Amino acid sequence: PSLTIGLLGHGPFQDESLEVAKVLQATVIGWEQVHLSAINIEAIHASGLKAWAWTVDEPGRAKELLTAGLDGLITNQARSMRAMVTGGS
């Protein structure tokens, strides 16, 4: 019952993915970061879902997405991303 289900997507964001996520009872949509925008994040949130991005390894892109309301990110640079977000190491 506490399992988080996410729908992963790639390529240009598809609004149909919001409906698929609901059918699957997902609570998260994780999308390929190069195709994710503030408008997509807003649509994900409007559907009652959390927005994650993958694979975000560039701090500038991470800041841009977080400013747009991103809820979580998948990265190969966890230590530096955490430091960027928290201001520590």
Side-chain angles (χ1 to χ4, degrees):
S2 63
L3 185 65
T4 298
I5 297 174
L7 174 71
L8 291 179
H10 64 91
F13 186 79
Q14 303 286 323
D15 286 334
E16 294 83 15
S17 298
L18 301 171
E19 292 303 318
V20 173
K22 287 180 185 179
V23 169
L24 296 174
Q25 297 180 333
T27 56
V28 173
I29 288 188
W31 210 266
E32 184 180 19
Q33 61 91 13
V34 297
H35 294 287
L36 197 58
S37 69
I39 292 169
N40 305 140
I41 293 169
E42 184 178 319
I44 292 167
H45 287 160
S47 292
L49 302 165
K50 292 191 182 284
W52 290 7
W54 61 271
T55 300
V56 185
D57 289 337
E58 295 295 324
R61 180 63 172 150
K63 286 180 186 178
E64 178 183 323
L65 290 167
L66 291 167
T67 298
L70 190 71
D71 299 297
L73 57 85
I74 299 165
T75 183
N76 294 311
Q77 306 297 326
R79 184 171 290 152
S80 62
M81 289 295 165
R82 182 175 305 279
M84 178 199 66
V85 172
T86 64
S89 56

Coordinates of all heavy atoms in Angstrom, one line a residue:
P1 N 0.8 -1.2 0.0 CA 0.0 0.0 0.0 C 0.8 1.3 0.0 O 0.4 2.3 -0.4 CB -0.8 -0.1 1.3 CG -0.3 -1.3 2.0 CD 0.5 -2.1 1.1
S2 N 2.1 1.2 0.4 CA 2.9 2.4 0.5 C 3.9 2.5 -0.7 O 4.7 3.4 -0.8 CB 3.7 2.5 1.8 OG 4.6 1.4 1.8
L3 N 3.7 1.6 -1.7 CA 4.6 1.6 -2.9 C 4.2 2.8 -3.7 O 3.1 3.1 -4.0 CB 4.3 0.3 -3.6 CG 5.2 0.0 -4.9 CD1 6.7 -0.1 -4.4 CD2 4.7 -1.2 -5.6
T4 N 5.3 3.5 -4.2 CA 5.1 4.6 -5.1 C 5.3 4.1 -6.5 O 6.2 3.4 -6.8 CB 6.2 5.7 -4.8 OG1 6.0 6.2 -3.5 CG2 6.1 6.8 -5.8
I5 N 4.3 4.3 -7.3 CA 4.3 3.9 -8.7 C 4.5 5.2 -9.6 O 3.8 6.2 -9.4 CB 3.0 3.2 -9.1 CG1 2.8 1.9 -8.3 CG2 3.0 2.9 -10.6 CD1 1.5 1.2 -8.5
G6 N 5.5 5.1 -10.5 CA 5.8 6.2 -11.4 C 5.7 5.7 -12.8 O 6.0 4.6 -13.1
L7 N 5.3 6.6 -13.7 CA 5.3 6.4 -15.1 C 6.5 7.1 -15.7 O 6.6 8.3 -15.5 CB 4.0 6.9 -15.7 CG 3.9 6.9 -17.2 CD1 3.7 5.4 -17.7 CD2 2.7 7.7 -17.7
L8 N 7.4 6.4 -16.4 CA 8.5 7.0 -17.0 C 8.2 7.2 -18.5 O 7.7 6.4 -19.1 CB 9.8 6.1 -16.9 CG 10.4 5.9 -15.5 CD1 11.5 5.0 -15.5 CD2 10.8 7.3 -14.9
G9 N 8.7 8.4 -18.9 CA 8.5 8.7 -20.3 C 9.7 9.4 -20.9 O 10.5 9.9 -20.2
H10 N 9.7 9.4 -22.3 CA 10.8 10.0 -23.0 C 10.3 10.6 -24.3 O 9.2 10.3 -24.7 CB 12.0 9.0 -23.3 CG 11.6 7.9 -24.2 ND1 11.7 8.0 -25.5 CD2 11.0 6.7 -23.9 CE1 11.3 6.9 -26.1 NE2 10.9 6.1 -25.1
G11 N 11.1 11.4 -24.9 CA 10.7 12.1 -26.1 C 9.8 13.3 -25.7 O 9.6 13.6 -24.5
P12 N 9.2 13.9 -26.7 CA 8.3 15.1 -26.4 C 7.2 14.6 -25.4 O 6.6 13.6 -25.6 CB 7.7 15.4 -27.8 CG 8.8 15.0 -28.7 CD 9.3 13.7 -28.1
F13 N 6.9 15.5 -24.5 CA 5.9 15.2 -23.4 C 4.5 15.0 -24.1 O 4.1 15.8 -24.9 CB 5.8 16.3 -22.4 CG 4.9 15.9 -21.3 CD1 5.3 15.1 -20.3 CD2 3.6 16.4 -21.2 CE1 4.5 14.7 -19.2 CE2 2.8 16.1 -20.2 CZ 3.2 15.3 -19.2
Q14 N 3.8 14.0 -23.7 CA 2.5 13.6 -24.2 C 1.5 13.8 -23.1 O 1.6 13.2 -22.1 CB 2.5 12.2 -24.7 CG 3.5 11.8 -25.7 CD 3.2 12.4 -27.1 OE1 2.0 12.4 -27.5 NE2 4.2 12.9 -27.8
D15 N 0.5 14.7 -23.4 CA -0.6 14.9 -22.4 C -1.3 13.6 -22.1 O -1.9 13.4 -21.0 CB -1.6 15.9 -22.8 CG -1.0 17.3 -22.7 OD1 -0.1 17.6 -21.9 OD2 -1.5 18.2 -23.5
E16 N -1.3 12.6 -23.1 CA -2.0 11.3 -22.9 C -1.4 10.6 -21.7 O -2.0 9.7 -21.1 CB -1.9 10.5 -24.2 CG -2.7 11.1 -25.3 CD -2.0 12.2 -26.1 OE1 -0.7 12.3 -26.0 OE2 -2.7 12.9 -26.8
S17 N -0.1 10.9 -21.5 CA 0.6 10.2 -20.4 C -0.1 10.5 -19.0 O 0.0 9.6 -18.1 CB 2.1 10.6 -20.3 OG 2.7 10.3 -21.5
L18 N -0.7 11.6 -18.9 CA -1.4 11.9 -17.6 C -2.5 10.9 -17.4 O -2.8 10.5 -16.3 CB -1.9 13.4 -17.7 CG -0.9 14.4 -17.9 CD1 -1.5 15.8 -18.1 CD2 0.1 14.5 -16.7
E19 N -3.3 10.6 -18.4 CA -4.4 9.6 -18.3 C -3.8 8.2 -18.1 O -4.4 7.5 -17.3 CB -5.2 9.6 -19.6 CG -6.0 10.9 -19.8 CD -6.9 11.3 -18.6 OE1 -7.6 10.3 -18.0 OE2 -6.9 12.4 -18.2
V20 N -2.7 7.9 -18.7 CA -2.1 6.5 -18.5 C -1.7 6.4 -17.1 O -1.9 5.4 -16.4 CB -1.0 6.3 -19.5 CG1 -0.2 5.0 -19.1 CG2 -1.4 6.3 -20.9
A21 N -1.1 7.5 -16.5 CA -0.6 7.5 -15.1 C -1.8 7.2 -14.2 O -1.7 6.5 -13.2 CB 0.1 8.8 -14.8
K22 N -2.9 7.9 -14.5 CA -4.1 7.7 -13.6 C -4.6 6.3 -13.7 O -5.0 5.7 -12.7 CB -5.2 8.7 -14.0 CG -4.9 10.1 -13.6 CD -6.0 11.0 -14.1 CE -5.7 12.5 -13.8 NZ -6.7 13.4 -14.2
V23 N -4.7 5.7 -14.9 CA -5.1 4.3 -15.0 C -4.2 3.3 -14.3 O -4.7 2.4 -13.6 CB -5.2 3.9 -16.5 CG1 -5.4 2.4 -16.7 CG2 -6.3 4.7 -17.2
L24 N -2.9 3.6 -14.3 CA -2.0 2.8 -13.6 C -1.9 3.1 -12.1 O -1.2 2.4 -11.3 CB -0.6 3.0 -14.2 CG -0.4 2.5 -15.6 CD1 1.0 2.9 -16.2 CD2 -0.7 1.0 -15.8
Q25 N -2.6 4.1 -11.6 CA -2.6 4.6 -10.3 C -1.2 5.0 -9.8 O -0.8 4.9 -8.7 CB -3.2 3.5 -9.3 CG -4.6 3.1 -9.6 CD -5.2 2.1 -8.7 OE1 -4.4 1.3 -8.1 NE2 -6.5 2.2 -8.5
A26 N -0.5 5.6 -10.8 CA 0.8 6.2 -10.5 C 0.6 7.5 -9.8 O -0.5 8.2 -9.9 CB 1.5 6.5 -11.8
T27 N 1.6 7.9 -9.0 CA 1.5 9.2 -8.3 C 2.6 10.1 -8.8 O 2.7 11.3 -8.4 CB 1.7 9.0 -6.7 OG1 2.9 8.3 -6.5 CG2 0.5 8.2 -6.2
V28 N 3.5 9.6 -9.6 CA 4.6 10.3 -10.2 C 4.7 10.1 -11.7 O 4.5 9.0 -12.1 CB 5.9 9.8 -9.5 CG1 7.1 10.5 -10.1 CG2 5.9 10.1 -8.0
I29 N 5.0 11.2 -12.4 CA 5.5 11.0 -13.8 C 6.9 11.5 -13.8 O 7.3 12.6 -13.4 CB 4.6 11.9 -14.7 CG1 3.2 11.2 -14.9 CG2 5.3 12.0 -16.1 CD1 2.4 11.9 -15.9
G30 N 7.8 10.6 -14.3 CA 9.2 10.9 -14.4 C 9.5 11.0 -15.9 O 9.2 10.0 -16.7
W31 N 9.9 12.1 -16.4 CA 10.1 12.4 -17.8 C 11.6 12.7 -18.1 O 12.3 13.3 -17.3 CB 9.2 13.5 -18.3 CG 8.8 13.3 -19.7 CD1 9.4 13.8 -20.8 CD2 7.7 12.5 -20.2 NE1 8.8 13.4 -21.9 CE2 7.7 12.5 -21.6 CE3 6.8 11.7 -19.5 CZ2 6.8 11.8 -22.4 CZ3 5.9 11.0 -20.3 CH2 5.9 11.1 -21.7
E32 N 12.0 12.4 -19.3 CA 13.3 12.7 -19.8 C 13.5 14.2 -19.7 O 12.7 15.0 -20.3 CB 13.4 12.2 -21.2 CG 14.7 12.4 -21.8 CD 14.8 11.8 -23.3 OE1 13.7 11.6 -23.9 OE2 15.9 11.6 -23.8
Q33 N 14.5 14.7 -19.0 CA 14.6 16.1 -18.6 C 14.7 17.0 -19.9 O 14.2 18.1 -19.8 CB 15.7 16.3 -17.7 CG 17.1 15.9 -18.1 CD 17.9 17.0 -18.8 OE1 17.5 18.2 -18.8 NE2 18.9 16.7 -19.5
V34 N 15.3 16.5 -20.9 CA 15.5 17.4 -22.1 C 14.1 17.8 -22.8 O 14.1 18.7 -23.5 CB 16.4 16.8 -23.1 CG1 17.8 16.7 -22.6 CG2 15.9 15.5 -23.7
H35 N 13.1 17.0 -22.4 CA 11.8 17.3 -23.0 C 10.8 17.7 -22.0 O 9.6 17.8 -22.3 CB 11.2 16.0 -23.7 CG 12.0 15.6 -24.9 ND1 12.0 16.2 -26.1 CD2 12.9 14.5 -25.0 CE1 12.8 15.6 -26.9 NE2 13.4 14.6 -26.3
L36 N 11.2 18.2 -20.8 CA 10.3 18.6 -19.8 C 10.4 20.1 -19.6 O 11.5 20.7 -19.6 CB 10.7 17.9 -18.5 CG 9.7 17.9 -17.3 CD1 8.4 17.3 -17.8 CD2 10.3 17.2 -16.1
S37 N 9.3 20.8 -19.5 CA 9.2 22.2 -19.4 C 8.4 22.6 -18.2 O 7.7 21.8 -17.6 CB 8.7 22.8 -20.7 OG 7.3 22.5 -20.8
A38 N 8.4 23.9 -17.9 CA 7.5 24.4 -16.8 C 6.1 24.2 -17.1 O 5.3 23.8 -16.2 CB 7.8 25.9 -16.6
I39 N 5.7 24.3 -18.4 CA 4.3 24.0 -18.8 C 3.9 22.5 -18.5 O 2.8 22.3 -18.0 CB 4.1 24.4 -20.3 CG1 4.2 25.9 -20.4 CG2 2.7 23.9 -20.8 CD1 4.2 26.4 -21.8
N40 N 4.8 21.6 -18.9 CA 4.6 20.2 -18.6 C 4.5 19.9 -17.1 O 3.6 19.2 -16.7 CB 5.7 19.3 -19.2 CG 6.0 19.5 -20.6 OD1 7.1 19.5 -21.0 ND2 5.0 19.7 -21.5
I41 N 5.3 20.5 -16.3 CA 5.3 20.3 -14.9 C 4.0 20.9 -14.3 O 3.4 20.2 -13.5 CB 6.5 21.0 -14.2 CG1 7.8 20.3 -14.6 CG2 6.4 21.1 -12.7 CD1 9.1 21.0 -14.3
E42 N 3.5 22.0 -14.8 CA 2.3 22.5 -14.4 C 1.1 21.6 -14.7 O 0.2 21.3 -13.9 CB 2.0 23.9 -15.0 CG 0.8 24.6 -14.6 CD 0.6 26.0 -15.2 OE1 1.7 26.7 -15.4 OE2 -0.5 26.3 -15.6
A43 N 1.1 21.0 -15.9 CA 0.1 20.0 -16.3 C 0.1 18.8 -15.4 O -0.9 18.3 -15.1 CB 0.3 19.7 -17.8
I44 N 1.3 18.3 -15.1 CA 1.4 17.1 -14.3 C 0.8 17.4 -12.9 O 0.1 16.7 -12.3 CB 2.9 16.7 -14.2 CG1 3.4 16.2 -15.5 CG2 3.1 15.7 -13.1 CD1 4.9 16.0 -15.6
H45 N 1.2 18.6 -12.3 CA 0.7 19.0 -11.0 C -0.9 19.2 -11.1 O -1.6 18.8 -10.1 CB 1.3 20.2 -10.5 CG 2.7 20.0 -10.1 ND1 3.6 21.1 -10.0 CD2 3.4 18.9 -9.7 CE1 4.8 20.6 -9.6 NE2 4.7 19.3 -9.4
A46 N -1.4 19.7 -12.1 CA -2.8 20.0 -12.3 C -3.6 18.6 -12.3 O -4.8 18.6 -12.0 CB -3.1 20.8 -13.5
S47 N -2.9 17.6 -12.7 CA -3.5 16.2 -12.7 C -3.3 15.5 -11.4 O -3.7 14.4 -11.3 CB -2.8 15.4 -13.8 OG -3.2 15.9 -15.1
G48 N -2.8 16.2 -10.4 CA -2.6 15.6 -9.1 C -1.4 14.7 -8.9 O -1.4 13.9 -8.0
L49 N -0.5 14.8 -9.8 CA 0.7 14.0 -9.8 C 1.9 14.8 -9.5 O 2.0 16.0 -9.6 CB 0.9 13.3 -11.2 CG -0.3 12.5 -11.7 CD1 -0.2 12.2 -13.2 CD2 -0.4 11.2 -10.9
K50 N 3.0 14.1 -9.1 CA 4.3 14.7 -8.8 C 5.1 14.6 -10.1 O 4.9 13.6 -10.9 CB 5.0 14.0 -7.7 CG 4.3 14.3 -6.3 CD 5.2 13.8 -5.2 CE 4.5 14.0 -3.9 NZ 4.5 15.4 -3.5
A51 N 6.0 15.6 -10.3 CA 6.8 15.6 -11.5 C 8.3 15.4 -11.2 O 8.8 16.1 -10.3 CB 6.7 17.0 -12.2
W52 N 8.8 14.4 -11.8 CA 10.3 14.1 -11.6 C 10.9 14.1 -13.0 O 10.2 14.0 -14.0 CB 10.5 12.6 -11.1 CG 10.1 12.4 -9.7 CD1 9.5 13.3 -8.8 CD2 10.3 11.2 -8.9 NE1 9.3 12.7 -7.6 CE2 9.8 11.4 -7.6 CE3 10.9 10.0 -9.2 CZ2 9.9 10.5 -6.7 CZ3 11.0 9.0 -8.3 CH2 10.5 9.3 -7.0
A53 N 12.2 14.3 -13.0 CA 12.9 14.4 -14.3 C 14.1 13.4 -14.2 O 14.7 13.3 -13.2 CB 13.4 15.8 -14.6
W54 N 14.5 12.9 -15.4 CA 15.7 12.0 -15.5 C 16.5 12.4 -16.7 O 15.8 12.9 -17.6 CB 15.3 10.5 -15.4 CG 14.4 10.1 -16.6 CD1 13.1 10.1 -16.6 CD2 14.8 9.6 -17.8 NE1 12.6 9.6 -17.8 CE2 13.7 9.3 -18.6 CE3 16.1 9.4 -18.4 CZ2 13.7 8.8 -19.9 CZ3 16.1 8.8 -19.7 CH2 14.9 8.6 -20.4
T55 N 17.6 12.1 -16.8 CA 18.7 12.1 -15.9 C 19.3 13.5 -15.9 O 19.7 14.0 -16.9 CB 19.8 11.1 -16.3 OG1 19.2 9.8 -16.4 CG2 21.0 11.1 -15.4
V56 N 19.2 14.2 -14.7 CA 19.7 15.6 -14.6 C 21.0 15.6 -13.9 O 21.1 15.4 -12.7 CB 18.6 16.4 -13.8 CG1 19.0 17.9 -13.8 CG2 17.2 16.2 -14.3
D57 N 22.1 15.9 -14.7 CA 23.4 15.9 -14.2 C 24.0 17.3 -14.2 O 25.1 17.6 -13.7 CB 24.3 15.0 -14.9 CG 24.0 13.5 -14.6 OD1 23.4 13.2 -13.6 OD2 24.3 12.7 -15.5
E58 N 23.4 18.3 -14.9 CA 23.9 19.6 -15.0 C 23.2 20.5 -13.9 O 21.9 20.6 -13.9 CB 23.6 20.2 -16.4 CG 24.4 19.5 -17.5 CD 25.9 19.6 -17.3 OE1 26.3 20.7 -16.9 OE2 26.6 18.7 -17.7
P59 N 23.9 21.2 -13.0 CA 23.3 22.0 -12.0 C 22.4 23.1 -12.6 O 21.4 23.4 -12.0 CB 24.6 22.6 -11.3 CG 25.6 21.6 -11.5 CD 25.4 21.1 -12.9
G60 N 22.8 23.7 -13.6 CA 22.0 24.8 -14.2 C 20.6 24.3 -14.6 O 19.6 24.9 -14.4
R61 N 20.6 23.1 -15.3 CA 19.3 22.5 -15.7 C 18.5 22.1 -14.5 O 17.3 22.3 -14.4 CB 19.6 21.3 -16.6 CG 18.3 20.6 -17.1 CD 17.4 21.5 -17.9 NE 16.3 20.8 -18.5 CZ 15.2 21.2 -18.8 NH1 14.9 22.5 -18.6 NH2 14.2 20.5 -19.3
A62 N 19.2 21.6 -13.4 CA 18.5 21.2 -12.2 C 17.8 22.4 -11.6 O 16.6 22.3 -11.2 CB 19.5 20.5 -11.2
K63 N 18.5 23.5 -11.5 CA 17.9 24.7 -10.9 C 16.7 25.2 -11.7 O 15.7 25.6 -11.2 CB 19.0 25.9 -10.9 CG 20.0 25.6 -9.8 CD 21.0 26.8 -9.8 CE 22.1 26.5 -8.8 NZ 23.2 27.5 -8.8
E64 N 16.9 25.2 -13.1 CA 15.8 25.6 -13.9 C 14.5 24.7 -13.7 O 13.4 25.3 -13.5 CB 16.2 25.4 -15.4 CG 15.2 25.8 -16.4 CD 15.7 25.5 -17.8 OE1 16.9 25.8 -18.1 OE2 14.9 25.0 -18.7
L65 N 14.7 23.4 -13.6 CA 13.5 22.5 -13.4 C 13.0 22.7 -12.0 O 11.7 22.7 -11.8 CB 13.9 21.1 -13.6 CG 14.2 20.7 -15.1 CD1 14.9 19.4 -15.2 CD2 12.9 20.8 -15.9
L66 N 13.8 22.8 -11.0 CA 13.3 23.0 -9.6 C 12.6 24.3 -9.5 O 11.6 24.4 -8.8 CB 14.5 22.9 -8.6 CG 15.1 21.5 -8.5 CD1 16.5 21.6 -7.8 CD2 14.2 20.5 -7.8
T67 N 13.1 25.4 -10.1 CA 12.4 26.6 -10.1 C 11.0 26.5 -10.7 O 10.0 27.2 -10.3 CB 13.2 27.7 -10.8 OG1 14.5 27.9 -10.1 CG2 12.5 29.1 -10.9
A68 N 10.9 25.6 -11.7 CA 9.6 25.4 -12.4 C 8.7 24.5 -11.6 O 7.5 24.3 -12.0 CB 9.9 24.8 -13.8
G69 N 9.1 24.0 -10.5 CA 8.3 23.2 -9.6 C 8.5 21.8 -9.6 O 7.7 21.0 -9.0
L70 N 9.6 21.3 -10.2 CA 9.9 19.9 -10.2 C 9.9 19.3 -8.8 O 10.5 20.0 -7.8 CB 11.3 19.7 -10.8 CG 11.6 18.2 -11.1 CD1 10.8 17.7 -12.3 CD2 13.1 18.1 -11.5
D71 N 9.4 18.1 -8.6 CA 9.3 17.5 -7.2 C 10.5 16.6 -6.9 O 10.8 16.4 -5.8 CB 8.0 16.7 -7.1 CG 6.8 17.6 -7.3 OD1 6.6 18.5 -6.5 OD2 6.0 17.4 -8.3
G72 N 11.1 16.1 -8.0 CA 12.2 15.2 -7.7 C 13.0 15.0 -9.0 O 12.5 15.2 -10.1
L73 N 14.3 14.6 -8.8 CA 15.1 14.4 -10.0 C 16.0 13.1 -9.8 O 16.3 12.7 -8.7 CB 16.0 15.6 -10.4 CG 16.9 16.2 -9.4 CD1 18.3 15.4 -9.4 CD2 17.2 17.6 -9.7
I74 N 16.3 12.5 -10.9 CA 17.1 11.4 -11.0 C 18.4 11.8 -11.6 O 18.4 12.5 -12.6 CB 16.5 10.2 -11.8 CG1 15.1 9.8 -11.1 CG2 17.4 9.1 -12.0 CD1 14.2 9.0 -12.0
T75 N 19.5 11.5 -10.9 CA 20.8 12.0 -11.4 C 21.9 11.0 -11.1 O 21.8 10.1 -10.3 CB 21.1 13.3 -10.6 OG1 22.4 13.9 -11.0 CG2 21.2 13.1 -9.1
N76 N 23.0 11.2 -11.8 CA 24.2 10.4 -11.6 C 25.2 11.2 -10.7 O 26.3 10.8 -10.4 CB 25.0 10.2 -12.9 CG 24.2 9.2 -13.8 OD1 23.7 8.2 -13.4 ND2 24.0 9.6 -15.1
Q77 N 24.8 12.4 -10.3 CA 25.6 13.3 -9.5 C 24.9 13.7 -8.2 O 24.8 14.9 -7.9 CB 25.9 14.6 -10.3 CG 26.5 14.4 -11.7 CD 27.9 13.7 -11.6 OE1 28.6 13.9 -10.7 NE2 28.1 12.9 -12.6
A78 N 24.5 12.7 -7.5 CA 23.7 12.9 -6.3 C 24.4 13.9 -5.3 O 23.7 14.8 -4.7 CB 23.4 11.6 -5.6
R79 N 25.6 13.7 -5.0 CA 26.3 14.5 -4.0 C 26.3 16.0 -4.4 O 26.0 16.8 -3.6 CB 27.7 14.0 -3.8 CG 28.5 14.8 -2.7 CD 29.8 14.2 -2.3 NE 29.5 12.9 -1.6 CZ 30.3 11.9 -1.6 NH1 31.5 11.9 -2.3 NH2 30.0 10.7 -1.0
S80 N 26.7 16.3 -5.6 CA 26.7 17.7 -6.0 C 25.3 18.3 -6.2 O 25.1 19.5 -5.9 CB 27.5 17.9 -7.3 OG 26.9 17.2 -8.4
M81 N 24.3 17.5 -6.6 CA 23.0 18.0 -6.7 C 22.4 18.3 -5.3 O 21.8 19.3 -5.1 CB 22.1 17.0 -7.4 CG 22.3 16.9 -8.8 SD 22.0 18.4 -9.7 CE 22.8 18.0 -11.3
R82 N 22.7 17.4 -4.3 CA 22.2 17.6 -3.0 C 22.9 18.9 -2.4 O 22.2 19.7 -1.8 CB 22.5 16.5 -2.1 CG 22.0 16.7 -0.6 CD 22.2 15.5 0.2 NE 21.6 14.3 -0.3 CZ 20.3 13.9 -0.2 NH1 19.5 14.8 0.4 NH2 19.9 12.8 -0.6
A83 N 24.2 19.1 -2.7 CA 24.9 20.3 -2.2 C 24.3 21.5 -2.8 O 24.1 22.6 -2.1 CB 26.3 20.2 -2.5
M84 N 23.9 21.5 -4.1 CA 23.4 22.6 -4.8 C 22.0 23.0 -4.1 O 21.8 24.2 -3.9 CB 23.2 22.3 -6.3 CG 22.5 23.5 -7.0 SD 21.8 23.0 -8.6 CE 20.5 21.9 -8.0
V85 N 21.2 22.0 -3.9 CA 19.9 22.3 -3.3 C 19.9 22.7 -1.9 O 19.2 23.6 -1.5 CB 19.0 21.0 -3.5 CG1 17.7 21.2 -2.8 CG2 18.8 20.7 -5.0
T86 N 20.8 22.1 -1.1 CA 20.8 22.4 0.3 C 21.8 23.5 0.7 O 21.8 24.0 1.8 CB 21.2 21.1 1.2 OG1 22.5 20.7 0.8 CG2 20.2 20.0 0.9
G87 N 22.7 23.8 -0.2 CA 23.7 24.8 0.0 C 24.9 24.2 0.8 O 25.8 25.0 1.3
G88 N 24.9 22.9 1.0 CA 26.0 22.3 1.8 C 26.8 21.2 0.9 O 26.7 21.3 -0.3
S89 N 27.4 20.4 1.6 CA 28.2 19.3 0.9 C 27.6 18.0 1.2 O 26.8 17.7 2.0 CB 29.6 19.4 1.3 OG 29.8 19.2 2.6

